[in-house]
Amino acid sequence: MNIVVFISGRGSNLKALLKDQNGYQVTHVISDKRGIKGFDVAKQFGIPHSYINWKERPKAEAIATEILTEEQPDLIVLAGFMKVLSANFVEKFHHQIINIHPSLLPDYPGLNTHQRVLNDRKTEHGASVHFVDNQLDHGQIISQTRIAVETHDTAESLATKLILKEHKLLVQTVGQIANKYLFWRDNTLFYIDKPLQKPLVY
Ligand code: GAR
């Protein structure tokens, strides 16, 4: 299975995917930011990578579509990609785009999830992988991972604890899709032989 990964920064989730590539290959990395660490990761693994100026979304998405038409990926992975894709773009790649988000969705879509969890004195936090639809951090949730929030935690400590679990979550989830344990049939997401009723836990 071929995948294209969209990033906006450090690219540690990208690196986790590149180290694994069990049943899939990353064929291209796209970013809306120049000179990011994630491009060094792509270079290190010899993966073609493209910067796209995202100032004007329709233009940016047209360029991204050209690359995707060339690459014909089976799956598009948003791994720390911080731009919102248009409904039109998402529709073009229906059921083909997944995103990793640092919260237990449907709670805390959007930014600053770690701080918002602390502000609400939650005792549990986590990350989710979901199919992307036309709403922000929305769409069928595929898998989740959880961490405990402790009294001494800060937004930074939560981010540090969670990122390690995110890597496993994303790699395992992409692996399940690549190996066809997770698949769409008639607009229903199946896991092995049954519709997926609740998120897989990693
Ligand atoms: C990750 O924590 C990811 O969940 C988050 O950005 C970080 C990227 O880290 N994504 C979002 O907030 C998307 N809404 P990385 O560049 O090291 O993979």
Side-chain angles (χ1 to χ4, degrees):
M1 184 181 80
N2 289 342
I3 70 176
V4 170
V5 182
F6 283 48
I7 60 170
S8 294
R10 180 178 53 182
S12 73
N13 276 295
L14 167 67
K15 189 170 186 176
L17 287 170
L18 287 167
K19 275 177 152 172
D20 184 76
Q21 302 203 77
N22 174 15
Y24 62 91
Q25 312 81 40
V26 177
T27 63
H28 209 111
V29 174
I30 291 176
S31 181
D32 62 310
K33 292 268 183 324
R34 271 202 179 104
I36 50 168
K37 275 200 183 148
F39 275 160
D40 295 336
V41 173
K43 270 184 218 152
Q44 200 187 322
F45 284 81
I47 309 296
H49 45 283
S50 304
Y51 157 72
I52 301 176
N53 180 336
W54 223 273
K55 237 184 201 159
E56 289 174 55
R57 187 168 73 176
K59 269 193 195 161
E61 290 186 345
I63 298 168
T65 302
E66 266 175 39
I67 295 171
L68 293 166
T69 304
E70 179 81 12
E71 297 286 353
Q72 291 287 313
D74 303 286
L75 188 70
I76 297 162
V77 179
L78 311 183
F81 183 65
M82 303 309 282
K83 289 282 190 276
V84 178
L85 297 168
S86 71
N88 188 27
F89 185 89
V90 170
E91 193 46 48
K92 233 183 267 167
F93 302 99
H94 190 54
H95 290 164
Q96 271 188 293
I97 311 178
I98 64 170
N99 178 44
I100 183 159
H101 180 75
S103 82
L104 291 170
L105 290 172
D107 294 344
Y108 304 106
L111 299 174
N112 303 322
T113 57
H114 311 306
Q115 190 56 51
R116 286 157 64 204
V117 161
L118 289 172
N119 294 349
D120 290 347
R121 299 187 184 281
K122 296 280 183 193
T123 54
E124 203 179 34
H125 185 29
S128 309
V129 176
H130 64 97
F131 277 96
V132 172
D133 69 9
N134 57 10
Q135 295 175 51
L136 181 68
D137 299 325
H138 192 265
Q140 178 149 5
I141 302 165
I142 311 165
S143 55
Q144 290 184 321
T145 192
R146 288 165 190 269
I147 58 168
V149 180
E150 283 155 303
T151 46
H152 58 265
D153 270 319
T154 61
E156 292 70 35
S157 71
L158 287 179
T160 304
K161 274 196 267 184
L162 191 58
I163 196 75
L164 297 172
K165 298 204 78 176
E166 281 191 37
H167 296 162
K168 181 172 172 222
L169 176 73
L170 187 61
V171 164
Q172 300 272 355
T173 305
V174 171
Q176 297 280 10
I177 297 171
N179 292 298
K180 307 221 177 342
Y181 292 110
L182 273 165
F183 57 92
W184 288 96
R185 184 188 290 156
D186 302 332
N187 255 356
T188 300
L189 182 62
F190 276 73
Y191 179 59
I192 308 181
D193 54 353
K194 289 191 194 73
L196 182 70
Q197 305 282 10
K198 51 182 185 356
L200 303 172
V201 176
Y202 291 113

